[in-house]
Amino acid sequence: MSRKNIFAIFVMLGLGLGIFWWEARNIDFESLVTTIRSLNYFWLLIAFISIMLSYGVEAMVLHTLLKKKEDRKFGWWEMYRIPLIQALFNAITPFSSGGQPAQLVGLMQSKIDGGRASSVLLMKFIIYQTMVLINFIIAMLVSFRSVAQHFSGLATLIVFGMVIHLVTISFLLMIMYYYDFTKKMVQVVLKPVLFFLKDEKRDKILQSAIKSIDSFYKESLVLKKEKAKVIKAALLTVVQLFLYYFVVYFVLLALNCDHVNIVDVLVMHIMIVMIVSIFPIPGGSGGAEFSFKTLFAGFVPSTSALILGMFLWRFITYYLGMFLGIIAVSKKPKISKHQVVSKSMERK
């Protein structure tokens, strides 16, 4: 990893420690120790297993979209390390923008062609965003009225997050089904927006945007042809997301909050995910903690338990991915030239 990435990791860890120190500054230390001692470690273990399984199912999504009959057998670590790498670089870049290119590098380290890897990752991204939006819409139908009544400030952020996701997916669908129109629209919109730039720089940005649209359109044609793969990947993505959403429920059970309603907890977590996505700070730091504290205060009996729960949830869903991602980056898969050559000969 570059020095810049290492620096970003330390900055995010420092920011996280600062946030938790600030939240816990007025808590009685003895009360916190008592809460830690009374934890139900069985459910805490289940929370850790749930997030590890979530990464595993995401690896299965990747394998489903990537695998072809003529391919060599991909090792489990080759696939499993990619979601971990994504977790690391999503955690240290604004708007999680570093996850996609980092996954591409990870796949290319497994001797997978860059163009093919880009195609698969794009398919995976579209499926993931679509499933997140569908889950969110269902959550809105189930409990948004209650959230809007009790947490009006968060309700605004939730709606804003949904709008951003909806616009993103709508734009991708426009490229898939209204390719020529979308290209012209992007050129018409970008030219006045970039009027203050020099002609050379403006043309470069426009060319890059058009190239990205062309690339996405080509990959969307593949997406339309491989419907069986897409359906299987979509179903696996739903499983992946729910394993992730369940973490907060298991954390609450670890805090001995046995009275919680599982549907309410899952809906709240889905909404937190939507809120976090609109914060430009890497990992949505600050926004994630604030959302958790606001939405789950009614579920947890004491302030010390609430802050401890926030720390455990954030560690499992965010910081653990960073640490595992560092391992994934450093432990590259061992692919022999013989494996690659033998399979390429078979295809011929």
Side-chain angles (χ1 to χ4, degrees), residues 136 139-140 142-144 146-148 150-151 154 158 245 248 252 261-275 288 291-292 294-299 313:
F136 179 69
M140 291 268 282
V142 171
S143 290
F144 181 72
S146 173
V147 173
H150 296 94
F151 314 105
L154 282 183
I158 290 166
Y245 295 146
V248 72
L252 291 175
N261 182 294
I262 188 170
V263 175
D264 288 342
V265 171
L266 291 178
V267 166
M268 296 297 183
H269 200 183
I270 289 169
M271 290 185 179
I272 287 176
V273 170
M274 192 59 65
I275 293 168
S291 301
F292 182 95
T294 303
L295 290 172
F296 289 104
F299 292 86
W313 165 74

Side-chain angles (χ1 to χ4, degrees), residues 122 175-176 215-225:
L122 200 53
I175 296 173
M176 290 175 70
S215 174
F216 177 79
Y217 178 70
K218 288 177 183 177
E219 307 311 334
S220 72
L221 297 177
V222 178
L223 194 69
K224 292 176 186 177
K225 289 178 183 177

Side-chain angles (χ1 to χ4, degrees), residues 3-40:
R3 289 183 180 180
K4 183 180 178 181
N5 291 331
I6 294 171
F7 176 73
I9 290 171
F10 280 107
V11 168
M12 295 316 300
L13 289 174
L15 180 60
L17 287 172
I19 290 170
F20 286 111
W21 171 82
W22 179 260
E23 293 291 348
R25 70 193 186 284
N26 296 322
I27 295 176
D28 179 61
F29 182 72
E30 288 185 9
S31 174
L32 186 61
V33 171
T34 302
T35 305
I36 292 171
R37 285 176 178 171
S38 65
L39 280 173
N40 186 325

Side-chain angles (χ1 to χ4, degrees), residues 189-199 202 205-206:
V189 170
L190 282 183
K191 281 182 180 179
V193 171
L194 303 174
F195 75 94
F196 58 90
L197 296 177
K198 293 181 180 179
D199 290 346
R202 184 172 63 246
I205 293 173
L206 283 169

Side-chain angles (χ1 to χ4, degrees), residues 239-282:
V239 176
Q240 170 206 334
L241 285 168
F242 271 88
L243 284 166
Y244 176 82
Y245 295 146
F246 265 107
V247 169
V248 72
Y249 178 68
F250 296 138
V251 167
L252 291 175
L253 290 180
L255 292 167
N256 300 300
C257 300
D258 302 323
H259 60 283
V260 294
N261 182 294
I262 188 170
V263 175
D264 288 342
V265 171
L266 291 178
V267 166
M268 296 297 183
H269 200 183
I270 289 169
M271 290 185 179
I272 287 176
V273 170
M274 192 59 65
I275 293 168
V276 168
S277 68
I278 68 174
F279 279 81
I281 301 171

